[in-house]
């Protein structure tokens, strides 16, 4: 209680025009206090604040009282308050979509206010003030992106989105049961089923597209690398953003194909603008406010979407991008030529296809990805006849629930493939690591997948009031996991000195659904990246052991909302440090998702290990000791100079080149699935 009283005193001083520390440096704030503030700002976001200090700030704070606490002199807060006072902002208790231009602009107004705060007190004061006054969806998006990008929140862990906005991750039938449990004050746990029925073949892989961890991975990536990012406003560049866009969606696409093969389905076909959309989709989910997510029947043809785009516009945009790949360059706004016929061309192409604000010519090349999401999401009501809310494709949280998401991205992935295949293949000289050879690779443990039950809270799903006590309400979903295992890799360093090595591990299905073996060139494009790490190799024999739990491509489950609240409050009351460093980045795939689902009798995968020259690869120093660098970098710095997927990112005309490399090794492994 002493902590709360002290916080209230600080807040009262901060709420006054003098800010309480005008002539002194702002008081330092512990990580535990920051975590506590973020927890309660996002807790029951559709209801009143449940923290007295934050509630007081929301009622008494004047955002314009002292603009010296903003790095932009208060420009962002003046703009947002002007729109608020004019009644121009979206009302509360209304759906929010990032693909809605005006709603995105409003969310970014709040994001820029928070990003320009010079100290934590200013940050949370604005957050508490605007939480009561702006649309809840816009508030959540602004909070998450600002926490991700603001140095003020460096060690804060964001609560799992599926517990902050459960409606976006949970079937509507379960939400209705949760309301009944709340009204009757009955603690309850409900089993969640995936959408559809066994009559729908796509139901076999619903566990992948509807996995709440994978959904969180997808939306988190788009918050880390948002398409609206403007260097001139944000103050720094997102390194290799376009290439990251290509690679994260390429990996989702090839991983989905592997899941399909494990369930005796063909790899997914790409989407075509002039052919029927084969699979319909009934989301079985509902907005918190705004009705049910729209459904789409089977075998419908694309229609023009009023106010968005015509089908022929999408075909024209596609053809312009294909022409750029054929020519080996894109044309910038000023008419200049930008060469893409090189290893960095995919970065430019990714910016063009998405299109982000990094695109050199969005007026000519359009925004194929973003517009396609809207076009596909609106096919249930393309002319607005029924005034339906946006479809699942218009939210990054829900997009992968629709199997057509993967058809859409297979379509775009094939465009990227056309570019990658136009590049000159690597030669043996490009790929060799002088003096280094892989002698053996083996797996310690069984590659075994299984389904487990996972429980998460629905406390934030139901309407609430301070007069009625909470009861525990949760849902249990089935999710994919795997046994832990290790790679055992024996490497010889025949040099007379220590060398830094990059170890790259990939796997692809050995056979397609017809039992036909993938060629090396087909396989390498379908390769799932399992790990990438750096090791110092001593002269002579080196035995490298790498645990599956150490993969740089995955992230552990973030603790539950209640657990985060408990940990932060305990640290505050005891005055101890709050250490949640292993959960700070939720950017990777869930750790339990490292392996594709196997089959009962084993599913064969080609496992590939490549050891490359770490000194030539490394973009930063001491990578072999740094544990902060994940798949997409750390703090805006990308650790690897090589392209994503190297050395399997270019076409292979003669696989004997790879088989003759001492620093390359391939074997066949079996992934089993335990029912």
């Amino acid at each position: 209680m002493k902590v709360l009283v002290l916080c209230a005193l600080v807040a009262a001083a901060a709420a006054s025009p003098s800010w309480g520390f005008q002539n002194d440096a702002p008081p330092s704030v512990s990580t535990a206090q920051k975590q506590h503030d973020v927890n309660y700002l996002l807790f029951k976001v559709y209801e009143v604040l449940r923290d007295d200090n934050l509630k007081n700030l929301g009622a008494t704070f004047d955002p314009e009282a002292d603009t010296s606490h903003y790095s932009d002199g208060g420009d962002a807060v003046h703009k947002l308050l002007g729109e608020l006072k004019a009644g121009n902002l979206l009302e509360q208790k209304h759906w929010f979509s990032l693909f809605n231009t005006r709603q995105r602009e409003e969310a970014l107004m709040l994001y820029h206010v928070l990003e320009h705060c010079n100290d934590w007190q200013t940050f949370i004061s604005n957050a508490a003030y605007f939480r009561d006054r702006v649309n809840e969806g816009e508030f959540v998006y602004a909070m998450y992106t600002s926490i991700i990008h603001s140095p003020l929140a460096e060690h804060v862990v964001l609560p799992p989105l599926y517990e902050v906005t459960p409606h976006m991750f949970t079937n509507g039938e379960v939400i209705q049961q949760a309301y009944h449990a709340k009204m009757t004050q009955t603690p309850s746990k409900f089993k969640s089923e995936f959408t559809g029925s066994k009559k729908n073949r796509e139901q076999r892989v619903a566990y992948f597209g509807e996995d709440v961890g994978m959904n969180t991975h997808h939306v988190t990536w788009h918050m880390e690398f948002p398409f609206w990012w403007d260097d001139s406003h944000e103050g720094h560049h997102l390194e290799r953003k376009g290439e990251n866009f290509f690679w994260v969606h390429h990996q989702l696409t090839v991983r989905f194909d592997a899941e399909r093969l494990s369930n005796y389905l063909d790899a997914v076909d790409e989407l075509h603008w002039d052919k029927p959309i084969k699979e319909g989709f009934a989301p079985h989910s509902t907005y918190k406010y705004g009705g049910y997510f729209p459904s789409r029947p089977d075998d419908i043809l694309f229609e023009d979407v009023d106010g968005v785009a015509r089908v022929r516009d999408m075909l024209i945009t596609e053809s312009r991008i294909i022409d750029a790949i054929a020519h080996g360059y894109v044309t910038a706004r000023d008419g200049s030529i930008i060469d893409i016929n090189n290893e960095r061309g995919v970065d430019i192409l990714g910016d063009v296809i998405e299109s982000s604000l990094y695109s050199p010519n969005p007026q000519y090349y359009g925004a194929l990805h973003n517009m396609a999401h809207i076009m596909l999401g609106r096919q249930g009501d393309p002319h607005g006849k029924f005034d339906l809310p946006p479809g699942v494709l218009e939210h990054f949280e829900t997009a992968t629930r629709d199997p057509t998401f993967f058809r859409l991205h297979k379509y775009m992935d094939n465009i990227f493939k056309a570019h990658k295949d136009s590049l000159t293949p690597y030669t043996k000289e490009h790929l060799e690591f002088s003096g280094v050879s892989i002698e053996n690779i083996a797996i310690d443990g069984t590659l075994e997948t299984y389904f487990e039950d996972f429980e998460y809270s629905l406390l934030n799903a139901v309407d609430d009031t301070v007069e009625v006590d909470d009861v525990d309400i949760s849902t249990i979903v089935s999710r994919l996991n795997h046994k832990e295992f290790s790679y055992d890799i024996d490497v010889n360093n025949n040099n007379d000195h220590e060398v830094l090595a990059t170890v790259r591990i990939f796997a692809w299905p050995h056979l397609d659904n017809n039992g036909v073996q993938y060629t090396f060139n087909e396989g390498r494009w379908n390769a799932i990246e399992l790990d990438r790490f750096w090791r110092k190799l001593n002269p002579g024999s080196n035995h490298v052991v790498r645990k599956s739990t150490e993969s740089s491509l995955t992230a552990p489950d973030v603790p539950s909302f209640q657990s985060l609240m408990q940990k932060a409050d305990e640290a505050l009351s005891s005055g101890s440090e709050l250490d949640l460093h292993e959960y700070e980045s939720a950017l990777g795939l869930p750790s339990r998702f490292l392996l594709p689902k196997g089959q009962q009798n084993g599913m064969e995968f080609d496992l590939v290990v490549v050891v490359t020259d770490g000194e030539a690869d490394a973009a930063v120093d001491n990578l072999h000791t740094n544990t902060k660098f994940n798949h997409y970098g750390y703090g805006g710095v990308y650790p690897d100079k090589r392209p994503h997927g190297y050395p399997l990112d270019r076409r292979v005309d003669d696989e004997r080149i790879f088989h003759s490399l001492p620093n390359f090794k391939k074997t066949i492994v079996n992934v089993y699935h335990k029912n």
Side-chain angles (χ1 to χ4, degrees):
M1 294 302 295
K2 290 181 180 179
V3 174
L4 291 177
V5 171
L6 176 60
C7 289
L9 291 173
V10 172
S16 68
S18 67
W19 291 74
F21 46 82
Q22 195 169 34
N23 299 317
D24 302 302
S28 61
V29 181
S30 68
T31 299
Q33 183 64 56
K34 292 180 179 181
Q35 186 68 53
H36 169 93
D37 293 339
V38 170
N39 289 342
Y40 279 91
L41 284 165
L42 292 169
F43 183 61
K44 296 182 183 292
V45 72
Y46 289 94
E47 313 296 339
V48 298
L49 277 160
R50 299 306 171 91
D51 177 85
D52 290 339
N53 172 46
L54 295 171
K55 189 174 182 179
N56 180 59
L57 284 175
T60 63
F61 178 67
D62 181 358
E64 295 177 299
D66 186 350
T67 56
S68 67
H69 288 275
Y70 303 101
S71 60
D72 65 344
D75 289 347
V77 79
H78 292 325
K79 180 178 180 181
L80 179 55
L81 278 173
E83 293 292 289
L84 177 64
K85 292 173 183 176
N88 294 335
L89 299 182
L90 179 68
E91 67 267 26
Q92 292 190 318
K93 296 180 170 48
H94 188 285
W95 57 261
F96 160 73
S97 170
L98 191 67
F99 287 102
N100 181 294
T101 303
R102 174 58 190 179
Q103 293 178 7
R104 180 173 69 251
E105 290 173 351
E106 293 178 10
L108 294 186
M109 287 181 202
L110 177 55
Y111 166 81
H112 287 126
V113 170
L114 299 176
E115 280 298 286
H116 285 296
C117 293
N118 289 333
D119 54 79
W120 186 253
Q121 189 63 40
T122 311
F123 185 102
I124 63 155
S125 298
N126 275 289
Y129 179 87
F130 286 108
R131 184 189 189 275
D132 293 338
R133 293 164 174 83
V134 302
N135 174 268
E136 297 88 351
E138 293 178 355
F139 174 80
V140 170
Y141 184 79
M143 278 293 291
Y144 267 74
T145 50
S146 60
I147 294 295
I148 287 171
H149 292 284
S150 174
L152 294 173
E154 182 179 3
H155 300 297
V156 172
V157 173
L158 285 162
L161 261 174
Y162 47 82
E163 291 192 331
V164 175
T165 54
H167 283 73
M168 304 295 280
F169 300 87
T170 312
N171 283 0
E173 297 89 341
V174 173
I175 297 293
Q176 289 176 342
Q177 291 175 312
Y179 270 105
H180 182 265
K182 175 68 175 182
M183 288 187 291
T184 59
Q185 288 287 281
T186 308
S188 303
K189 296 180 183 180
F190 304 109
K191 179 68 175 176
S192 282
E193 303 293 343
F194 299 118
T195 59
S197 70
K198 291 183 179 180
K199 294 180 180 180
N200 181 4
R201 289 162 57 86
E202 297 300 321
Q203 176 73 9
R204 300 183 200 173
V205 287
Y207 66 86
F208 183 77
E210 297 182 33
D211 184 272
V212 295
M214 206 277 284
N215 300 152
T216 301
H217 158 66
H218 183 235
V219 68
T220 300
W221 186 91
H222 280 284
M223 289 176 175
E224 291 264 5
F225 298 93
F227 63 84
W228 47 259
W229 189 270
D230 187 340
D231 289 358
S232 62
H233 291 161
E234 315 309 334
H236 68 277
H237 185 73
L238 296 178
E239 191 175 354
R240 293 170 68 168
K241 180 185 177 307
E243 185 183 10
N244 282 340
F245 168 79
F246 149 65
W247 187 248
V248 72
H249 292 96
H250 172 70
Q251 284 296 291
L252 287 179
T253 302
V254 299
R255 176 60 186 274
F256 186 62
D257 279 347
E259 301 296 338
R260 294 178 69 85
L261 293 176
S262 77
N263 288 282
Y264 307 100
L265 296 171
D266 289 331
V268 70
D269 291 328
E270 69 174 288
L271 198 68
H272 296 276
W273 297 112
D274 52 358
K275 293 182 180 179
I277 308 170
K278 184 177 180 181
E279 299 90 2
F281 183 60
H284 283 251
S285 54
T286 180
Y287 284 93
K288 172 74 173 176
Y289 299 101
Y292 279 87
F293 281 86
S295 298
R296 183 187 64 250
D298 287 340
D299 298 312
I300 64 169
L301 288 169
F302 272 105
E303 292 189 44
D304 299 343
V305 176
D306 294 353
V308 176
R310 298 169 296 183
V311 175
R312 73 175 187 180
D313 294 333
M314 306 306 293
L315 290 167
I316 291 169
T317 298
E318 174 192 329
S319 68
R320 289 174 177 176
I321 294 171
I322 295 295
D323 284 348
I325 293 170
H327 287 113
Y329 63 82
V330 298
T331 305
R333 289 183 183 91
D334 61 3
S336 60
I337 300 302
I338 302 174
D339 182 18
I340 61 170
N341 195 27
N342 52 62
E343 68 177 20
R344 295 303 178 215
V346 69
D347 192 38
I348 298 167
L349 195 61
D351 291 331
V352 165
I353 289 176
E354 189 176 14
S355 129
S356 72
L357 294 187
Y358 286 3
S359 174
N361 197 345
Q363 184 174 355
Y364 183 71
Y365 294 110
L368 185 64
H369 168 265
N370 293 351
M371 199 61 69
H373 267 263
I374 302 173
M375 287 285 288
L376 189 52
R378 298 283 179 89
Q379 289 308 305
D381 186 24
H383 308 298
K385 179 180 179 180
F386 305 106
D387 194 26
L388 296 180
V392 295
L393 268 298
E394 295 176 79
H395 302 275
F396 291 128
E397 301 96 319
T398 58
T400 62
R401 294 171 67 91
D402 188 338
T404 309
F405 168 89
F406 297 99
R407 288 191 64 196
L408 174 64
H409 278 282
K410 176 65 74 74
Y411 155 71
M412 282 178 276
D413 201 48
N414 285 342
I415 296 176
F416 282 112
K417 185 176 187 296
H419 162 70
K420 282 287 191 176
D421 285 352
S422 72
L423 303 179
T424 304
Y426 295 118
T427 65
K428 185 177 182 181
E429 290 70 30
H430 285 131
L431 302 172
E432 285 179 320
F433 186 5
S434 179
V436 173
S437 61
I438 304 175
E439 301 303 314
N440 187 56
I441 53 176
I443 299 295
D444 183 7
T446 304
L447 299 180
E448 183 179 294
T449 62
Y450 58 91
F451 286 107
E452 65 179 9
D453 284 345
F454 173 66
E455 182 178 348
Y456 65 91
S457 173
L458 297 179
L459 201 61
N460 288 345
V462 296
D463 292 329
D464 207 357
T465 174
V466 294
E467 287 78 22
V468 179
D469 291 336
D470 286 328
V471 293
D472 290 333
I473 307 172
S474 60
T475 185
I476 297 172
V477 297
S478 182
R479 67 179 191 175
L480 187 67
N481 204 339
H482 64 82
K483 286 186 175 180
E484 293 182 9
F485 63 93
S486 297
Y487 308 97
D488 288 345
I489 309 169
D490 293 313
V491 186
N492 273 348
N493 174 14
N494 297 313
N495 299 289
D496 59 3
H497 57 276
E498 186 181 64
V499 297
L500 177 65
T502 311
V503 183
R504 306 169 188 274
I505 305 176
F506 303 89
W508 64 76
H510 187 63
L511 305 173
D512 68 13
N513 198 36
N514 295 314
V516 178
Q517 181 179 339
Y518 283 109
T519 66
F520 189 95
N521 190 50
E522 292 169 336
R524 62 95 200 168
W525 184 254
N526 287 288
I528 300 163
E529 189 175 17
L530 297 175
D531 206 350
R532 186 193 322 165
F533 60 97
W534 291 264
R535 286 289 171 88
K536 283 289 183 78
L537 300 178
N538 297 316
S541 298
N542 293 263
H543 184 63
V544 177
V545 177
R546 178 73 166 182
K547 296 179 180 178
S548 58
T549 54
E550 297 174 317
S551 174
S552 64
L553 314 184
T554 61
D557 285 334
V558 173
S560 69
F561 208 152
Q562 290 298 121
S563 177
L564 285 176
M565 296 176 82
Q566 181 179 347
K567 289 176 184 292
D569 292 349
E570 286 176 353
L572 274 178
S573 62
S574 66
S576 59
E577 290 294 323
L578 179 65
D579 182 11
L580 297 170
H581 71 277
E582 63 180 304
Y583 308 111
E584 287 178 22
S585 174
L587 189 56
L589 272 174
S591 300
R592 58 186 174 78
F593 246 42
L594 182 63
L595 288 182
K597 175 181 167 291
Q599 293 175 342
Q600 188 170 357
N601 296 322
M603 179 175 172
E604 289 185 327
F605 283 82
D606 287 35
L607 180 71
V608 167
V609 177
V610 191
V611 178
T612 59
D613 187 346
E615 294 294 343
D617 298 346
V620 296
D621 296 330
N622 300 319
L623 278 171
H624 62 293
T625 61
N626 196 319
T627 59
K628 288 185 175 181
F629 284 101
N630 62 25
H631 188 36
Y632 298 101
Y634 176 75
V637 178
Y638 193 79
D640 193 352
K641 291 179 183 176
R642 302 296 187 184
H644 278 306
Y646 176 84
L648 303 178
D649 61 308
R650 296 195 186 186
R651 75 174 194 271
V652 178
D653 294 337
D654 187 350
E655 66 180 83
R656 291 174 298 180
I657 292 176
F658 276 85
H659 293 306
S660 67
L661 293 171
N663 56 314
F664 173 89
K665 198 81 170 177
K666 182 165 80 77
T667 190
I668 295 178
V669 297
N670 268 292
V671 180
Y672 297 90
H673 183 74
K674 183 178 180 180
N675 289 325

